């Protein structure tokens, strides 16, 4: 299969993207549309415009493709966590953080929607998903603490922990809910906005007059 390498270099020169990156992009698209269980390596290769033998030069198995896509998902999470906004009491900081997290889940939604089936072939994903959850919960809790200190939410420590858990559940598994409960597998951008609205509603009982004034001002400018 070594003869695949020169071919990939030629394609890279023509298309400005490496064959490996194109395979990853195509696999992500097909996994999102159909689910990994319904996609074969032959279909991925065909959609990428190469033969299946060339695909195996880069990825020996479909599982290897899933793991590389998960690596990219983790990189997106790392980028989000490096944002300095989590140290701000500005309510816009939380809104931006939440939207960016939803955008990441949206882009890699098959990882959550098809998580149980993925575990059958890549059981190490369970540990990695848990690690991401732990890393994300900390900055979200910090943001909530800043909002409380700034007088934007009135909430006890016990209520804050419960709110954090509910925010995490909804913001992470809204894709699963829509698939299982509502039968929506082909998600659209409108569903992303729906998910953000569900999380935002969790804060309603705790918003102070100051926070409501900010929300009214935001609504007036949109």
């Amino acid at each position: 299969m070594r003869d695949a390498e020169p071919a990939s270099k030629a394609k890279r020169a023509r298309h400005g993207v490496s064959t490996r990156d194109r395979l990853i992009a195509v696999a992500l698209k097909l996994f999102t549309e159909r689910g990994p269980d319904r996609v074969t390596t032959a279909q991925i290769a065909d959609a990428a415009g190469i033969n299946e033998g060339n695909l195996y030069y880069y990825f020996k198995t479909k599982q290897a493709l899933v793991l590389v896509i998960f690596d990219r998902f983790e990189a997106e999470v790392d980028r989000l966590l490096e944002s300095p906004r989590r140290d701000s009491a500005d309510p816009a900081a939380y809104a931006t953080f939440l939207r960016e997290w939803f955008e990441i889940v949206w882009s890699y939604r098959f990882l959550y929607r098809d998580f149980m089936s993925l575990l059958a072939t890549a059981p190490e994903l369970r540990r990695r998903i848990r690690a991401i959850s732990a890393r994300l919960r900390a900055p979200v809790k910090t943001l909530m603490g800043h909002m409380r200190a700034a007088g934007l939410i009135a909430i006890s420590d016990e209520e804050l922990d419960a709110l954090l858990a509910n925010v995490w559940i909804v913001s992470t598994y809204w894709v699963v809910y829509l698939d299982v409960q509502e039968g929506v597998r082909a998600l659209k951008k409108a569903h992303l906005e729906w998910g953000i609205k569900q999380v935002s509603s969790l804060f309603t009982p705790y918003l102070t007059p100051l926070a409501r004034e900010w929300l009214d001002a935001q609504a007036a400018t949109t």
Side-chain angles (χ1 to χ4, degrees), residues 24-207:
I24 293 169
V26 167
L28 175 58
K29 181 176 184 294
L30 293 179
F31 291 164
T32 299
E33 291 175 350
R34 308 176 192 175
D37 288 348
R38 299 178 179 86
V39 177
T40 66
T41 52
Q43 290 169 334
I44 294 170
D46 183 65
I50 65 173
N51 64 55
E52 192 173 5
N54 283 359
L55 181 148
Y56 290 132
Y57 175 83
Y58 297 95
F59 302 100
K60 301 302 182 186
T61 63
K62 186 169 65 174
Q63 175 189 352
L65 264 167
V66 169
L67 293 177
V68 167
I69 290 172
F70 195 92
D71 289 342
R72 296 198 172 191
F73 169 66
E74 278 188 315
E76 289 289 323
V77 172
D78 288 339
R79 179 192 58 77
L80 177 62
L81 290 174
E82 290 168 1
S83 167
R85 285 187 296 269
R86 63 180 181 273
D87 297 322
S88 171
D90 183 353
Y94 178 80
T96 301
F97 187 95
L98 177 63
R99 176 167 289 279
E100 289 185 2
W101 169 236
F102 264 77
E103 291 281 359
I104 293 172
V105 173
W106 165 264
S107 297
Y108 297 90
R109 54 194 178 276
F110 86 91
L111 290 172
Y112 286 96
R113 185 194 63 204
D114 304 303
F115 183 62
M116 296 311 296
S117 63
L118 287 172
L119 286 180
T121 56
E124 63 268 38
L125 289 183
R126 184 185 298 276
R127 173 188 57 79
R128 295 177 69 180
I129 281 283
R130 284 178 175 171
I132 286 176
S133 297
R135 288 161 57 203
L136 276 166
R137 284 169 65 92
V140 172
K141 187 172 185 177
T142 298
L143 267 173
M144 290 181 178
H146 286 315
M147 291 172 68
R148 180 171 65 176
L152 297 171
I153 54 175
I155 189 170
S156 68
D157 288 342
E158 183 178 354
E159 290 171 326
L160 185 63
D161 287 338
L163 178 60
L164 175 63
N166 288 327
V167 165
W168 179 250
I169 291 168
V170 177
S171 66
T172 303
Y173 297 103
W174 59 281
V175 170
V176 179
Y177 171 85
L178 286 173
D179 181 23
V180 175
Q181 189 66 28
E182 303 295 334
V184 179
R185 192 168 183 87
L187 297 176
K188 304 182 185 303
K189 280 289 185 179
H191 295 116
L192 185 147
E193 299 300 329
W194 175 89
I196 292 175
K197 185 178 293 185
Q198 305 314 305
V199 172
S200 299
S201 69
L202 296 173
F203 285 85
T204 301
Y206 308 105
L207 295 178

